[in-house]
Amino acid sequence: MAENILIAPSILSADFAAMGDAVRSLQRWRADWVHCDVMDGRFVPNITFGMPMIEALRRNTALTLDVHLMIVEPEKYVERFVKAGADIVTFHPEASNDAHAALKKIKDAGAKCGIVLNPDIPVRAAEPYLDECDVVMLMGVFPGFGGQKFIRDVLPKLTALKELSKDRSLVIELDGGVTEENAAEIVAAGADVLVAGSSVFKSKDPKKTIEKLKASGK
């Protein structure tokens, strides 16, 4: 089991009228990354925000900006997201016309890169990209909306991905449905980074929630 679990609260669950305050709060609450869900209304049935929001967040925090693109043809935009301030850019390979080229563009622009697999996509779909990735993220829910319940069928996929990555310097991220109650099980299955939106921002004590999530690896 990993010991140094990183917590990446999803800013999508914060108050959009006070995003600067929200991202500064994450620093006080000792979060590790800021997870930014970018949706285009085409790849997923929702629209969130784009490069200007990333620029605004960057001005208000030194935390790692973890940008998850749920958009079609991400290769057209990845360099602009890095320029806006993204430290990590991940995307869904099936949404890209050339996922290898998109990964290279992210790296060449100076950020870390990775791919994302939905709950219904097998882990073997990641294999052609593993040597190019810094991060592989598994979705614990189907993307598009926050607050969904974790899909337990993803647990064995985490373990399979951990096995595939054992000879690589690869970070495994789990996004969707993370709570204080299931975090330890998710970490035990192989996750290094937990994306938590509702469980942090809707908590009565977000700092304590983050502490508990971090402790799930001990």
Side-chain angles (χ1 to χ4, degrees):
M1 184 180 289
E3 294 184 359
N4 298 314
I5 299 303
L6 302 181
I7 308 303
S10 173
I11 203 71
L12 187 62
S13 295
D15 181 356
F16 270 38
M19 292 297 259
D21 288 341
V23 79
R24 287 189 292 271
S25 293
L26 289 180
Q27 208 151 334
R28 292 196 305 273
W29 300 337
R30 301 183 67 81
D32 300 289
W33 297 357
V34 180
H35 188 76
C36 307
D37 289 307
V38 177
M39 306 180 194
D40 65 358
R42 294 177 64 198
F43 183 68
V44 291
N46 199 1
I47 297 174
T48 55
F49 48 74
M51 283 77 75
M53 178 67 81
I54 304 304
E55 289 176 348
L57 295 175
R58 179 79 289 161
R59 290 195 300 270
N60 283 277
T61 186
L63 292 176
T64 295
L65 293 185
D66 173 35
V67 177
H68 171 198
L69 300 181
M70 288 168 268
I71 64 176
V72 297
E73 298 182 301
E75 59 274 13
K76 289 184 176 181
Y77 307 99
V78 291
E79 292 158 311
R80 292 166 64 188
F81 276 102
V82 176
K83 186 176 180 181
D87 298 294
I88 302 166
V89 179
T90 57
F91 63 91
H92 295 253
E94 70 273 24
S96 175
N97 292 324
D98 190 338
H100 293 287
L103 290 167
K104 186 176 187 302
K105 283 184 177 183
I106 297 166
K107 292 285 271 236
D108 288 349
K112 293 184 177 180
C113 67
I115 59 166
V116 187
L117 301 183
N118 281 345
D120 58 344
I121 295 180
V123 169
R124 65 177 179 273
E127 291 190 59
Y129 311 105
L130 292 182
D131 290 336
E132 301 161 63
C133 289
D134 301 294
V135 177
V136 174
M137 183 161 66
L138 297 186
M139 295 299 299
V141 300
F142 284 94
F145 298 93
Q148 298 181 64
K149 187 176 180 180
F150 178 68
I151 298 171
R152 292 184 55 80
D153 289 349
V154 175
L155 290 172
K157 292 176 63 178
L158 278 168
T159 303
L161 182 58
K162 196 72 172 179
E163 179 65 21
L164 279 174
S165 66
K166 65 182 180 181
D167 296 322
R168 298 177 173 93
S169 179
L170 189 69
V171 173
I172 298 175
E173 189 171 0
L174 189 284
D175 179 8
V178 174
T179 66
E180 292 179 31
E181 290 71 32
N182 64 20
E185 190 175 23
I186 291 169
V187 170
D192 305 304
V193 181
L194 301 178
V195 177
S198 301
S199 60
V200 169
F201 281 103
K202 297 187 186 309
S203 172
K204 292 180 180 178
D205 189 341
K207 185 176 181 180
K208 190 170 184 179
T209 293
I210 289 174
E211 288 172 358
K212 287 182 178 179
L213 293 174
K214 284 176 180 282
S216 62
K218 298 178 181 177

